[in-house]
């Protein structure tokens, strides 16, 4: 059989300052860059869903027809131009190739300039050209805001179960299993779904901790017998449209059994509503607590600069945590990655071992001013690296021209691309050995835990200025579904 495959990923923060245009998808923003045709097959072996799908299908009897794989750094809406160009390539290929089955590596939280539900629109257009008899299966991110349109247009959707996302390839393998079920003549599966009645903050979704850990353990215990697949996406809590939020769903050959399993998972989530909120520190509090914890320790304390996470729509350029580090006269600290192409370029022109005076970072949209200072230039590189940690191991990404700038006891990794600090190599590419630091400030929410937990004395979450607001109550919601609580046990959105 002919299997058409394509990938189109974007996590949209509708409150973020910068949109995702065509060039953002070409570059990849911390994910592999845009890949066309047979080059998509080179993504085998990488911990992303399409990599797992290709591994599962390798050596099999079916013909793989790769179209495109692309992703952009999370941001505000995908531009109409980018969406139409990428979607057009996929739909055109589906029309011309007349495939027997389709696999899509999609995120599930894409909002465009002209559609609330980018993935639902993509699936609808594909379904219009291939008809109802061609099975369409998709893999989703754990942060997907799964819509009714998506569920209606796909034969099956399956989501990651880990955050940090160390099971992306495994999810692609599960999608391959589901697609093979349909290609082998399996009947259309019964589906059941239930929405979660409260918004779950991003920093509370980590599956290395409770309650998410126990939720997924329970989910996996139920996935047996007539149940083919169960999924739970806590949702991406920064997309202002009616279907933002968490969803539990499942597929199987017995409708009643699937419904009971979905109810059981949903009830456990709702019963532990209070546990989905985790307290966070103000910048100065986080730094002082990190100094206390690191005193006498041979392992660094890691602080998550969660609100400026470029993996959730931040521009990775705010200076709140840098100011707190310098004000508290911290020694042996490092912060990364601060996105400032102009500063990186100036450092490269000036040279290693010299000093440079400039305004570093700053996010005008938030009233966050550049950090003015004189820095020593400790290291310069082209920013090219290969990920070695559990998240996307083997992926090649680039920060572009990169510099390590030092002021007093604080080192700042300055890059020319917006990349979430999810791997230790993002420090090493700038000459910083993270294990030797006392305090590390990572512009990330949770993904960094996969590679940093093994070396960390402890991990703190800080609420410095940034577009990815940690407490959903603080967001200026206008279009949520009326009646949903805006955080665990929080006030109800009245519309």
């Amino acid at each position: 059989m002919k299997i058409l495959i394509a990938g189109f990923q974007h996590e949209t923060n509708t409150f973020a300052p910068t949109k995702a245009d065509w060039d953002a998808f070409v570059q990849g923003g911390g994910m592999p860059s845009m890949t066309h045709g047979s080059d998509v097959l080179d993504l085998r072996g990488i911990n992303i869903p399409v990599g797992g799908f290709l591994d599962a299908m390798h050596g099999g009897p079916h013909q793989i027809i790769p179209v495109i794989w692309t992703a952009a750094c999370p941001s505000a809406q995908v531009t109409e131009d980018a969406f139409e160009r990428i979607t057009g390539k996929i739909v055109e290929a589906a029309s011309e190739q007349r495939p027997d089955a389709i696999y899509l590596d999609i995120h599930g939280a894409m909002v465009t300039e002209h559609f609330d539900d980018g993935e639902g629109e993509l699936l609808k257009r594909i379904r219009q050209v291939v008809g109802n008899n061609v099975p369409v299966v998709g893999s989703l991110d754990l942060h997907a805001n799964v819509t009714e349109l998506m569920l209606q247009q796909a034969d099956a959707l399956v989501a990651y179960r880990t955050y940090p996302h160390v099971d992306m390839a495994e999810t692609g393998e599960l999608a391959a299993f589901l697609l093979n079920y349909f290609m082998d003549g399996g009947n259309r599966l019964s589906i059941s779904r239930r929405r979660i009645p409260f918004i779950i903050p991003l920093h509370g979704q980590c599956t290395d901790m409770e309650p998410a850990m126990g939720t997924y353990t329970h989910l996996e215990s139920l996935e047996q017998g007539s149940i083919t697949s169960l999924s739970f996406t806590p949702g991406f809590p920064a997309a202002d449209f009616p279907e933002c939020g968490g969803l539990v769903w499942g597929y199987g050959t017995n409708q009643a059994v699937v419904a009971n399993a979905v109810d059981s998972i949903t009830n456990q989530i709702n019963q532990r509503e209070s546990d989905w909120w985790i307290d966070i520190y103000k910048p100065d509090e986080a730094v002082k607590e990190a100094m206390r914890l690191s005193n006498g320790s041979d392992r660094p304390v890691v602080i998550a600069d969660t609100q400026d996470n470029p993996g959730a729509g931040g521009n990775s350029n705010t200076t709140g945590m840098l100011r707190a580090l310098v004000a508290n006269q911290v020694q042996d600290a490092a912060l990364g990655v601060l996105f400032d192409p102009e500063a990186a370029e100036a450092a490269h022109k000036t040279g290693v071992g010299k000093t440079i005076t400039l305004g570093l970072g700053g996010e005008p949209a938030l009233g966050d001013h550049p950090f003015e200072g004189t820095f020593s230039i400790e290291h310069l590189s082209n920013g090219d690296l290969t990920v070695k940690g559990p998240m996307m191991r083997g992926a090649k990404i680039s920060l572009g021209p990169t510099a390590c700038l030092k002021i007093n006891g604080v080192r700042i990794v300055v890059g020319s691309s917006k990349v979430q600090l999810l791997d230790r190599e993002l420090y090493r590419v700038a000459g910083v050995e993270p294990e030797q630091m006392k305090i590390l400030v990572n512009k990330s929410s949770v993904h960094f835990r996969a590679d940093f937990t093994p070396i960390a004395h402890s991990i703190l979450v800080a609420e410095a200025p940034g577009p990815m607001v940690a407490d959903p109550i603080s967001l200026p919601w206008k279009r949520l579904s009326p009646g949903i609580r805006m955080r665990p046990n929080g006030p109800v959105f009245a519309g």
Side-chain angles (χ1 to χ4, degrees), residues 91-396:
V91 175
E92 182 181 13
S95 178
E96 292 178 352
Q97 295 291 337
R98 298 186 179 275
D100 300 296
I102 294 176
Y103 163 65
L104 296 176
D105 180 359
I106 50 182
H107 185 286
M110 182 194 302
V111 181
T112 76
E113 288 181 326
H114 53 324
F115 295 110
D116 282 343
D117 178 11
E119 288 89 354
E121 180 65 22
L122 170 62
L123 285 162
K124 183 178 76 172
R125 294 186 190 185
I126 288 173
R127 186 61 77 190
Q128 287 171 344
V129 300
V130 302
N132 293 326
N133 295 325
V134 174
V136 179
V137 171
S139 54
L140 299 176
D141 194 286
L142 177 140
H143 304 305
N145 290 317
V146 182
T147 68
E148 191 62 28
L149 180 61
M150 290 163 59
L151 294 173
Q152 290 171 355
Q153 299 299 317
D155 291 275
L157 298 171
V158 61
Y160 313 159
R161 297 175 181 179
T162 63
Y163 182 34
H165 303 327
V166 296
D167 68 331
M168 290 188 285
E170 291 178 31
T171 306
E173 292 173 5
L174 182 53
F177 165 79
L178 290 166
L179 198 61
N180 275 318
Y181 165 83
F182 292 115
M183 290 191 298
D184 290 342
N187 294 325
R188 188 170 184 85
L189 297 169
S190 296
I191 182 173
S192 181
R193 81 278 270 166
R194 281 189 61 185
R195 293 209 167 272
I196 306 303
F198 56 93
I199 296 292
I200 301 177
L202 201 64
H203 65 282
Q205 297 180 12
C206 177
T207 57
D208 292 340
M209 305 182 296
E210 295 294 347
M213 181 187 293
T215 299
Y216 285 100
T217 298
H218 181 53
L219 180 151
E220 291 175 359
S221 74
L222 298 173
E223 198 175 55
Q224 56 183 303
S226 62
I227 296 176
T228 308
S229 170
L230 293 168
S231 292
F232 163 49
T233 52
F236 185 62
D240 194 11
F241 80 114
E243 290 180 275
C244 177
L247 184 80
V248 179
W249 76 98
Y251 303 96
T253 56
N254 185 308
Q255 176 70 47
V257 172
V258 176
N260 286 338
V262 169
D263 287 346
S264 178
I265 298 164
T266 306
N267 290 340
Q268 178 171 311
I269 294 166
N270 292 339
Q271 288 166 6
R272 301 190 66 182
E273 181 170 351
S274 298
D275 298 334
W276 290 95
W277 173 258
I278 296 173
D279 290 333
I280 45 185
Y281 293 83
K282 297 298 183 184
D284 196 59
E285 297 171 344
V287 170
K288 288 179 178 177
E289 178 65 4
M291 293 173 70
R292 183 187 70 81
L293 292 169
S294 66
N295 186 30
S297 173
D298 60 355
R299 294 191 294 165
V301 175
V302 183
I303 303 174
D305 188 359
T306 186
Q307 296 198 149
D308 195 31
N309 173 15
N315 276 337
S316 202
N317 60 357
T318 61
T319 62
M321 287 308 303
L322 175 58
R323 295 178 191 279
L325 290 170
V326 174
N328 284 281
Q329 300 180 345
V330 176
Q331 298 298 308
D332 297 320
L335 180 150
V337 174
L338 195 142
F339 172 63
D340 192 331
E342 292 79 14
E345 181 183 12
H348 275 254
K349 289 180 178 178
T350 303
V352 172
K354 298 181 179 179
T355 60
I356 187 170
T357 300
L358 47 72
L360 189 60
E363 179 49 73
L366 298 173
D368 180 73
H369 303 293
F371 182 92
E372 305 286 345
T374 299
F375 305 84
S376 57
I377 304 170
E378 287 203 338
H379 191 276
L380 299 171
S381 77
N382 62 9
D384 295 341
L385 62 100
T386 300
V387 176
K388 294 182 179 178
M391 278 284 298
M392 297 195 304
R393 180 178 281 118
K396 297 183 183 299

Side-chain angles (χ1 to χ4, degrees), residues 448-464:
F448 72 92
R449 290 177 182 265
D451 202 33
F452 285 83
T453 296
I455 70 164
H457 172 279
S458 49
I459 295 173
L460 309 175
V461 180
E463 189 182 19

